[in-house]
Amino acid sequence: MIFQRIARKLNKITARYYLAFPQQVQCNICGWQGKHFISDDWHENVICPQCGLDVRHRLLWASLREIEAFNLEKLVQRKQVLHFAAESQFSAKFSALAANYKTADFLKTNYDYQLDLSDMSMIADESIDLLIACDVLEHIPDHLKAIAEIHRVLSRDGCAIITVPQKDHLVETVEDPTIVDPQVREEIFGQVDHVRVYGDDFPSFLEKADFKLTIIDKTSFSEDLIHKWVLFPPKLSTRPLATNYRKIFFAQKN
């Protein structure tokens, strides 16, 4: 009896605590709620402490759940899906809906395919309904060939979901294949395994490859959802190569 009274008292204290300090943010992917997310080396309070996903991941999931033209039922349900560098948190969700869901990566072997995005010769023409490549192209030496390969394997009504880190206010993409030193690459491109840093001209690469492009960013959602799900960094990073303004590119095959 005494333990039950103590438990009831603790529950009341906990309830008063949450009323006094309401939950301010929520991960729209795993459901975690709290006062704020945790920080990484680039941004403050952007990483979900439970699933470890970032602004771009929550922005992608918000697009698939909130934007009618690109919802899960239209893009994933009963579709042939190929997902590069797949996050396990998304794989479980996509595989439950897709007719056939496969993962791929160039270096890692714990995926269905060990595959180069710029040379997918093992994938037949027009055999994929949805291809997902989030933050992949900046690692690939010939990204134009990779974009052409994406176009080739997509079905006639197919769609690619693509993200890349874009340096804030950089007009043109910067790349230099002669830079091979990892430390220099990190200084210029932001990461040791990046071969370029994208600018505002990234959409032109997709449009020139005959994709119809729709760009989703924080402006596609209400202020309430932006703050609740943290679809934009609460505090802008001042680092020179910061990518504060993340975007989701839905590239539909013409």
Side-chain angles (χ1 to χ4, degrees):
M1 182 67 70
I2 187 170
F3 292 110
Q4 291 175 343
R5 286 200 298 270
I6 292 172
R8 284 196 296 269
K9 189 172 182 179
L10 287 174
N11 287 336
K12 289 179 181 178
I13 293 172
T14 302
R16 284 199 299 270
Y17 173 84
Y18 281 110
L19 286 173
F21 301 98
Q23 307 303 291
Q24 296 178 0
V25 300
Q26 179 183 38
C27 179
N28 61 339
I29 300 168
C30 73
W32 181 88
Q33 298 182 64
K35 288 186 66 64
H36 58 75
F37 290 126
I38 59 177
S39 304
D40 63 12
D41 293 338
W42 288 85
H43 292 95
E44 294 183 22
N45 303 332
V46 294
I47 304 296
C48 174
Q50 180 164 280
C51 68
L53 297 185
D54 201 347
V55 168
R56 64 183 173 89
H57 303 106
R58 293 189 296 276
L59 193 59
L60 170 57
W61 193 243
S63 303
L64 295 172
R65 297 306 300 265
E66 302 293 325
I67 306 296
E68 177 63 25
F70 303 107
N71 64 33
L72 287 165
E73 288 72 24
K74 291 182 179 178
L75 290 189
V76 180
Q77 193 166 347
R78 296 187 296 275
K79 302 294 186 180
Q80 302 291 320
V81 180
L82 179 60
H83 191 173
F84 276 80
E87 301 86 352
S88 59
Q89 299 90 333
F90 284 144
S91 292
K93 298 176 185 295
F94 293 149
S95 60
L97 291 172
N100 184 38
Y101 174 81
K102 297 294 184 183
T103 59
D105 194 271
F106 179 59
L107 295 175
K108 297 177 182 178
T109 58
N110 58 329
Y111 290 85
D112 294 312
Y113 301 127
Q114 192 167 5
L115 192 59
D116 182 353
L117 186 62
S118 63
D119 182 10
M120 296 186 285
S121 53
M122 66 180 296
I123 306 297
D125 293 0
E126 300 187 345
S127 61
I128 303 297
D129 298 311
L130 174 65
L131 188 145
I132 307 166
C134 292
D135 283 21
V136 175
L137 287 173
E138 67 274 13
H139 299 270
I140 298 177
D142 193 342
H143 67 147
L144 297 181
K145 186 179 179 183
I147 292 171
E149 276 287 86
I150 293 172
H151 192 278
R152 178 186 66 81
V153 303
L154 283 178
S155 60
R156 295 191 180 186
D157 296 319
C159 181
I161 300 175
I162 299 172
T163 68
V164 295
Q166 292 172 279
K167 179 182 175 181
D168 293 355
H169 315 304
L170 178 65
V171 176
E172 294 185 347
T173 295
V174 175
E175 62 180 328
D176 185 347
T178 66
I179 299 174
V180 295
D181 182 271
Q183 191 171 11
V184 178
R185 279 186 175 178
E186 184 173 17
E187 292 173 359
I188 296 177
F189 304 135
Q191 200 165 300
V192 295
D193 56 350
H194 287 187
V195 296
R196 70 185 58 79
V197 56
Y198 284 104
D200 295 336
D201 60 342
F202 175 70
S204 68
F205 298 130
L206 298 172
E207 291 168 338
K208 288 176 182 177
D210 200 27
F211 281 109
K212 176 186 176 183
L213 201 58
T214 302
I215 303 173
I216 303 295
D217 61 12
K218 75 180 185 73
T219 63
S220 306
F221 304 96
S222 68
E223 286 295 323
D224 286 344
L225 290 184
I226 293 170
H227 294 301
K228 180 180 179 181
W229 292 339
V230 188
L231 304 180
F232 188 73
K235 183 178 180 181
L236 296 183
S237 173
T238 57
R239 293 183 58 166
L241 292 172
T243 56
N244 288 303
Y245 302 91
R246 295 307 303 250
K247 300 176 178 66
I248 310 297
F249 297 93
F250 287 88
Q252 295 171 289
K253 185 171 181 176
N254 281 329

